[in-house]
Amino acid sequence: MTQLAPSDKALVPFVSVDHMMQLIHHVGLPDMLRGLAAYIEADFKRWELFDKTPRVASHSAEGVIELMPTSDGETYGFKYVNGHPKNTADGLQTVTAFGLLADVDTGYPVLLTEMTMLTALRTAATSALVAKTLAPKGATTMAMIGNGAQSEFQSLAMMAIAGITHVRLYDIDPAATAKCARNLAATGLEVTQCSTAEEAIEGAQILTTCTADKAYATILTDNMVGAGVHINAIGGDCPGKTEIAPGILQRGDIFVEYPPQTRIEGDIQQLDADHPVTEIWQVLTGQVQGRTSEKQITIFDSVGFAIEDFSALRFVRDRVADTAFFHPLDLLADPDDPRDLFGMLMRSEG
């Protein structure tokens, strides 16, 4: 068989898991989180330019597989992502992902990248950006309830972006809490391991829930949450999966990414379909006020939205340019005559 050397038009930058980890260490994890948050904030401030649709989900008894597309009119992006809580028992990740950016004018891809690592970073960066915006002024302590794969990223993003100094950890699996505490030991955060969720929220101004079970659950009961806190609810992210008691939702002011998606997937699926919520982009642009009083309970019912992934993909595209942190991947057929794809195939036969 004749080897046809790929042209430049055939090659697409591909960022592998190894390259992504190299990029993170090259940039530095705190700066990577801050950079992602800056890109997410910038895109939220031009929210109205984007195509917006709830993600396309394929549900099963074991989990969900989703496609998350969007475009700003110049660049198109999508992410493939799954969520399978049972996977950890088999030594597999609960969440895996990859994503792509493409040029709208030509439809040609301009970046293909792993997004398992990147999704963890963008989720944490989004949480911390919103907490910086909505949490009580001077917040220093976060309760991290659910100490799985996302917990360290959430904790470090809250330190780098929202300024916390202390994290209180709880998980129903003590081994998960010990893992998280061990990983955070040398980061500069004060870490407290707790034996109950109630203990974890003592003295915390930010309460983050990030549990994995695909089930209606009440991680925070109504009597656990007092006035003047910010709740970062990120575990409820598909139909039938919740974390926050309806009573808390009724007492708090709720902020969301995209209501048509959150009302299906978020904790507010427990409320009436017309329950008032505020879109977080409106707060970031100054159109709507966020926290209005010290005693207010603010709730970020976060399910993850495609624009956040688009922002993360843009950040990676910009940061890997002119570096060695990608492979040129022979992804696109590029015949000499664009109308003669068959001829290209025949010339490759030796």
Side-chain angles (χ1 to χ4, degrees), residues 255-304:
F255 300 81
V256 303
E257 291 134 325
Y258 183 58
Q261 180 173 299
T262 310
R263 292 192 190 279
I264 295 169
E265 300 180 353
D267 272 279
I268 60 172
Q269 67 187 271
Q270 302 173 89
L271 304 180
D272 292 339
D274 60 352
H275 188 91
V277 299
T278 300
E279 295 181 53
I280 193 63
W281 72 268
Q282 296 175 305
V283 180
L284 293 171
T285 56
Q287 296 182 34
V288 177
Q289 194 170 354
R291 176 166 290 276
T292 57
S293 73
E294 292 182 2
K295 293 185 177 181
Q296 181 184 13
I297 298 173
T298 55
I299 304 165
F300 181 37
D301 189 4
S302 176
V303 297

Side-chain angles (χ1 to χ4, degrees), residues 4 37 43 49 53 104-105 112-113 116 121 177 179 195 200 202 224-225 239 266 313 317 323:
L4 296 180
D43 283 341
L49 291 177
T53 183
V104 167
D105 285 346
L112 177 65
T113 179
T116 306
L121 291 168
T177 299
K179 175 270 304 180
S195 56
E202 290 177 8
M224 289 170 63
V225 177
L313 288 164
R317 178 195 61 190
T323 75

Side-chain angles (χ1 to χ4, degrees), residues 39-53 69-77 101 258 281 305-312 314:
Y39 271 58
I40 292 165
E41 182 174 12
D43 283 341
F44 273 37
K45 287 182 175 179
R46 57 193 192 108
W47 185 264
E48 292 166 301
L49 291 177
F50 284 89
D51 294 337
K52 291 172 285 289
T53 183
T70 191
S71 171
D72 66 356
E74 295 183 2
T75 307
Y76 171 89
L101 281 183
Y258 183 58
W281 72 268
F305 191 61
I307 293 174
E308 297 156 14
D309 298 305
F310 182 93
S311 306
R314 282 203 309 114

Side-chain angles (χ1 to χ4, degrees), residues 222 245-254 270-272 275-276 299:
D222 194 9
I248 300 172
L249 298 172
Q250 295 285 359
R251 289 191 289 128
D253 291 304
I254 301 168
Q270 302 173 89
L271 304 180
D272 292 339
H275 188 91
I299 304 165

